[in-house]
Amino acid sequence: MTNLIAPILRRQCIPVRVGDVVVGGGPIVVQSMTNTDTADIEGTTQQVAALAQAGSEVVRITVDRDEAAKAVPHIRDALDKMGCDVPLVGDFHYIGHTLLTDNPACAEALAKYRINPGNVGFREKRDRQFTTMIEVAMKYDRPVRIGVNWGSLDQDLVISMMDENAKSTNPKSASDITEEALVTSALQSAALARDLGMSADKIILSCKVSAVQSLIRVYRALARQCDYALHLGLTEAGMGSKGIVASTAALAVLLQEGIGDTIRVSLTPEPGGDRTEEVIVAQQILQTMGIRSFMPLVTACPGCGRTTSTVFQDLAGKIQSYLRERMPTWREKYVGVEDMNVAVMGCIVNGPGESKHSDIGISLPGTGETPSAPVFIDGEKRMTLKGPGIAEEFQGIVEEYVKNRYGDDAKSDAAE
């Protein structure tokens, strides 16, 4: 997709290939992560497939012990049999060097490795164990994400920088030093990987924190100092609206400045909640900013005293669900359908106007208005719906509109 924003600081980052997905120098890539036990082959396969179906272009899985590592190639095989080719990223901590060397089938099945320099090893073991993981990555021609996290930051590095800061005539705050340590850890680790022979087009960096302003400062500093592809995301963003708002606030600022090549929205799911919510939120951040389009979005009014009935709310929800359910099929058949705008409005004040601005829209009757719902298509009123079956009728109209506007016959007519 063409990036519609003219970013302020868009860097010429180095493109990295993860499976069939190119990170950097192109569309911002949406990532997600499973929360299943990777040793549970069936459960993990199903969740990866669900995340991919929702639109995740890369999926990360935990590889924390030998049983999980041995399960990875079976998960890959199961996904391939389902026709799901989404790249898998292995998330390694503490013993990644051992898991990768002891399980070559795992190393080969993964499309990318995530290495945390804060716990890849400690003291004299750190460089040796990091080296082992980089060597395995180069053996299988796999990229790595060097992912620094302020919850597991290299304490030796922090202490060293704090001590140096204490000697300064104008010392910085502890939070400033922590933010600098995040960037330093990422860049030093990348430099070590390069010294070992890894090319720049195999390296992605991330420096994750859970505070919005800290994340913005850290990534601005990181972007100024390197050309590596960058992965964005708040770590432990939170649950529900808090996690959504915090992630949006941080990512929107950085994306608007042209910083970031992949994103993940790390939401804490509600008990029994759908893991795919993080994918949907990431897509909506990109789409509402005009960066990428993933599916038709519904414009709906918030409601007021003119709309005491819940009819328009119910219809907006049904239409949004309907569009999401239909998109996997539409995406295969209709090029450009993801850019379609649909309006579901609740009264005559803004309803007709908003509907006219959309590709297809419906203006439902508000309190005290005539019980009829005009439908607007490409800016013109085409029909009026009445009765209890408005939702189903409107869905049918939307389906026909998609076929007529984005189908092969419509393209042929346009060509002529």
Side-chain angles (χ1 to χ4, degrees):
M1 300 294 173
T2 302
N3 192 328
L4 301 181
I5 284 181
I8 301 168
L9 301 173
R10 184 61 179 168
R11 301 170 304 105
Q12 296 299 311
C13 56
I14 300 167
V16 178
R17 182 171 290 279
V18 182
D20 292 329
V21 176
V22 177
V23 174
I28 309 298
V29 173
V30 173
Q31 294 193 199
S32 62
M33 185 176 184
T34 59
N35 61 357
T36 56
D37 179 356
T38 304
D40 175 5
I41 296 172
E42 182 178 355
T44 301
T45 299
Q46 292 302 319
Q47 191 173 87
V48 170
L51 289 166
Q53 177 77 4
S56 182
E57 295 158 302
V58 177
V59 178
R60 182 158 50 115
I61 60 177
T62 297
V63 187
D64 58 347
R65 63 193 194 282
D66 198 57
E67 294 83 355
K70 284 180 165 49
V72 170
H74 297 291
I75 294 168
R76 181 69 271 167
D77 288 344
L79 289 167
D80 290 341
K81 289 177 182 177
M82 296 169 63
C84 179
D85 59 357
V86 66
L88 295 178
V89 179
D91 193 55
F92 295 98
H93 299 277
Y94 303 108
I95 58 170
H97 60 292
T98 300
L99 294 174
L100 285 170
T101 52
D102 290 352
N103 296 278
C106 169
E108 190 167 9
L110 293 169
K112 182 174 74 173
Y113 312 151
R114 186 273 175 124
I115 304 173
N116 184 340
N119 57 35
V120 71
F122 302 98
R123 297 183 175 85
E124 68 279 357
K125 294 182 179 180
R126 181 183 300 109
D127 287 355
R128 183 168 70 250
Q129 293 174 182
F130 180 85
T131 295
T132 298
M133 296 188 74
I134 295 298
E135 288 175 342
V136 172
M138 290 192 294
K139 176 181 178 181
Y140 292 101
D141 194 29
R142 297 295 189 263
V144 298
R145 171 158 73 90
I146 297 173
V148 185
N149 191 304
W150 74 350
S152 52
L153 190 54
D154 180 350
Q155 290 305 298
D156 289 342
L157 175 62
V158 174
I159 291 170
S160 172
M161 293 180 67
M162 289 289 188
D163 288 345
E164 189 67 27
N165 181 59
K167 300 173 185 176
S168 172
T169 56
N170 187 24
K172 300 177 182 178
S173 68
S175 60
D176 286 343
I177 296 301
T178 299
E179 290 175 6
E180 287 184 10
L182 285 161
V183 175
T184 299
S185 177
L187 294 177
Q188 286 183 350
S189 298
L192 177 54
R194 295 296 306 278
D195 289 344
L196 293 169
M198 177 164 277
S199 58
D201 64 353
K202 296 294 183 184
I203 298 173
I204 301 164
L205 301 184
S206 67
C207 290
K208 290 193 173 184
V209 304
S210 57
V212 170
Q213 295 297 341
S214 287
L215 190 84
I216 292 170
R217 287 192 295 268
V218 165
Y219 273 92
R220 281 173 172 167
L222 193 59
R224 285 194 299 268
Q225 297 178 55
C226 76
D227 291 324
Y228 297 113
L230 301 180
H231 172 73
L232 302 184
L234 282 177
T235 186
E236 292 94 30
M239 181 179 284
S241 60
K242 186 272 178 182
I244 294 172
V245 171
S247 294
T248 303
L251 270 56
V253 170
L254 292 169
L255 291 169
Q256 183 68 23
E257 295 180 359
I259 297 171
D261 303 285
T262 71
I263 65 170
R264 183 195 171 200
V265 177
S266 301
L267 297 180
T268 303
E270 301 283 350
D274 191 342
R275 188 69 168 178
T276 62
E277 182 184 15
E278 67 174 55
V279 179
I280 295 169
V281 173
Q283 290 178 331
Q284 289 178 345
I285 290 172
L286 294 174
Q287 186 151 353
T288 55
M289 291 184 68
I291 296 175
R292 289 187 67 184
S293 294
F294 297 93
M295 67 166 290
L297 294 182
V298 174
T299 299
C301 68
C304 66
R306 291 177 174 270
T307 55
T308 53
S309 166
T310 62
V311 173
F312 85 94
Q313 298 168 339
D314 293 337
L315 181 57
K318 287 179 181 178
I319 292 299
Q320 186 73 70
S321 297
Y322 171 75
L323 295 174
R324 186 164 292 282
E325 290 168 4
R326 294 294 293 141
M327 267 309 291
T329 300
W330 286 350
R331 190 179 291 113
E332 297 297 321
K333 296 174 62 177
Y334 304 123
V335 176
V337 67
E338 63 274 6
D339 293 314
M340 182 175 67
N341 294 311
V342 180
V344 178
M345 304 302 294
C347 79
I348 61 173
V349 174
N350 292 317
E354 283 284 358
S355 296
K356 290 177 183 178
H357 287 308
S358 298
D359 294 309
I360 181 168
I362 185 169
S363 179
L364 294 164
T367 304
E369 293 177 11
T370 303
S372 61
V375 175
F376 296 82
I377 298 177
D378 293 330
E380 297 181 2
K381 181 180 175 181
R382 297 292 181 86
M383 64 200 72
T384 299
L385 305 182
K386 298 180 181 181
I390 287 178
E392 292 72 18
E393 287 185 63
F394 187 62
Q395 287 178 6
I397 293 168
V398 171
E399 188 76 36
E400 190 67 19
Y401 178 81
V402 169
K403 178 182 176 181
N404 292 336
R405 177 167 178 179
Y406 301 100
D408 290 336
D409 290 343
K411 294 173 193 172
S412 298
D413 291 343
E416 294 174 2

